[in-house]
Amino acid sequence: MSEPVPSPPSVRSTLAVADLEIKDAQLIFSAVWADLQERHGRDGLRFPREFIWLGGAPGAGKGTNTPFIAQARDITAPPIVISALLTTPQAVAIKNAGQMVGDREVIGLLLQELLDPQYQDGVIVDGFPRTKVQVECLKLFYHAMLELHAEFRSTGTARFHRKPMFRISLLFVSEEVSVQRQLSRGREIREHNRQVRESGVGVLLEERVTDLDPELCRKRYMGFKDTNFDALQSLRKIFHFHFIDAEGDLPEVQRNILREFAYQSTLELSPEVFDLIQNIPVATQLGMHARQELVSRLETYGEENEELFRQVVKLIEAKIIPIVRTHAMSGHAQINSEECLLDDPLALRMVIDVLWERGFHVTVDIHRVEVPERIDPETWAIICRMKKVYRIEVRYPPSDIRRGH
């Protein structure tokens, strides 16, 4: 047998550091988790269901886009900003005691804050994880929440221990864009403060040295790449990962956000529930090829059902469009029709398709009405016939009339 080839010293040292970080994370998380259980009890560990762990390059627009992300995910609670968390009375007390606010303290402060009931339905955490130890603690936190979910799922408090959903979200811009935006922000703040000092009106804003020097801007960007970016990237294969291009203007960035957070059942539902409903199409998927399918149907009508198609078009021109024209001001017309042609389901579908192709929004309801026809002379019972009334509702852009003042 051949002798195993030893790893190079650099590889061994890297593995040793990684092992040490994992052990540190396990010690830190175990201590924080034990402290939380002692203070709140197992059932009192009621964390949010949805977490968005948000990171972003300097100048990527986290502050601008965080409210938009929250709205997109129906999160009403304010974000937890790690840098702000380190200025809370608890963090200040730690500093005043002569201790450093390291990973152990950050994780303790964060998990305690997450127990606030306002975050129960969802939360955005800005600026975590930043270190490899914090990454490992995040994984341990997820598995601890899964244990809580399994433990309480058949109890009366199951709704407080739902299966967690972690989303890693990264607002990304290139180094060049980041530096430009940082410097632009520095100029705007400096000009704002100059006007406040001259007028005595307004509030002075913090002027960051890093927003005024290109080299410091670059250094700050590289710091992000070496810490926060790498930390979030390492979770890509474990949790739902959203890489959001934030280089465009605000509307473009927000379109990117909406696209990234589009509804995906496979991410949010349990496998059992998803299996039951997966054959029902998602609304956005229905619209993807709707135009092409509409055109194909119309062409088929003209080729395979030409005579019926001609009758339908004449009906639309003679009976429907005149009523639609009279309601052009409102953009909403309702037509009741007893045309026997519409009794043919294919003809009814043709009416809808033709109007949709011409830009109208159409819905059709079929109402069945009993109409007295005769009286049975022997029983004096009223004999009725069933009349079908097709109620066609048509909506379209209303007339835009400019009025003088």
Side-chain angles (χ1 to χ4, degrees), residues 62 136 148 361 395:
K62 281 196 302 178
E136 294 302 321
L148 289 172
H361 291 224
R395 294 183 181 274

Side-chain angles (χ1 to χ4, degrees), residues 39-220:
R39 279 192 279 169
H40 303 282
R42 290 281 289 175
D43 190 29
L45 300 181
R46 301 177 177 186
F47 293 101
R49 187 213 171 212
E50 179 176 1
F51 295 78
I52 297 177
W53 306 96
L54 180 65
K62 281 196 302 178
T64 301
N65 290 296
T66 295
F68 186 80
I69 294 173
Q71 183 180 18
R73 293 303 307 163
D74 279 337
I75 294 175
T76 57
I80 297 176
V81 182
I82 297 299
S83 58
L85 201 61
L86 300 182
T87 62
T88 60
Q90 299 95 315
V92 171
I94 292 171
K95 296 174 189 175
N96 290 341
Q99 301 175 28
M100 290 182 59
V101 184
D103 289 330
R104 163 73 170 83
E105 290 71 32
V106 169
I107 292 161
L109 290 168
L110 174 59
L111 296 193
Q112 179 61 46
E113 178 67 18
L114 287 170
L115 290 174
D116 190 317
Q118 68 175 324
Y119 305 118
Q120 186 64 215
D121 292 324
V123 64
I124 297 175
V125 182
D126 179 348
F128 187 94
R130 289 184 182 275
T131 68
K132 291 181 179 179
V133 169
Q134 291 178 8
V135 165
E136 294 302 321
C137 285
L138 188 65
K139 298 175 190 176
L140 293 168
F141 177 44
Y142 179 75
H143 289 291
M145 287 191 67
L146 287 179
E147 290 177 6
L148 289 172
H149 170 67
E151 181 179 336
F152 291 98
R153 65 183 305 173
S154 300
T155 70
T157 59
R159 68 185 186 280
F160 298 115
H161 303 285
R162 294 166 292 179
K163 185 179 179 181
M165 180 170 61
F166 279 21
R167 294 178 182 268
I168 310 299
S169 303
L170 181 62
L171 289 169
F172 189 82
V173 294
S174 66
E175 180 179 344
E176 181 181 355
V177 171
S178 173
V179 171
Q180 289 175 353
R181 289 186 180 176
Q182 289 180 76
L183 293 173
S184 175
R185 178 174 59 199
R187 288 193 296 269
E188 290 173 2
I189 290 176
R190 188 161 48 181
E191 176 59 22
H192 167 84
N193 287 346
R194 184 189 66 78
Q195 293 180 10
V196 170
R197 291 187 183 98
E198 289 182 357
S199 66
V201 178
V203 178
L204 291 172
L205 301 177
E206 179 189 0
E207 293 186 27
R208 296 179 182 174
V209 177
T210 51
D211 285 349
L212 304 173
D213 184 327
E215 286 308 311
L216 290 178
C217 290
R218 293 185 193 283
K219 187 175 181 181
R220 187 160 177 250

Side-chain angles (χ1 to χ4, degrees), residues 332-347:
H332 180 206
Q334 289 181 314
I335 301 106
N336 291 339
S337 175
E338 298 178 34
E339 290 286 340
C340 58
L341 179 64
L342 300 179
D343 291 341
D344 184 336
L346 181 58

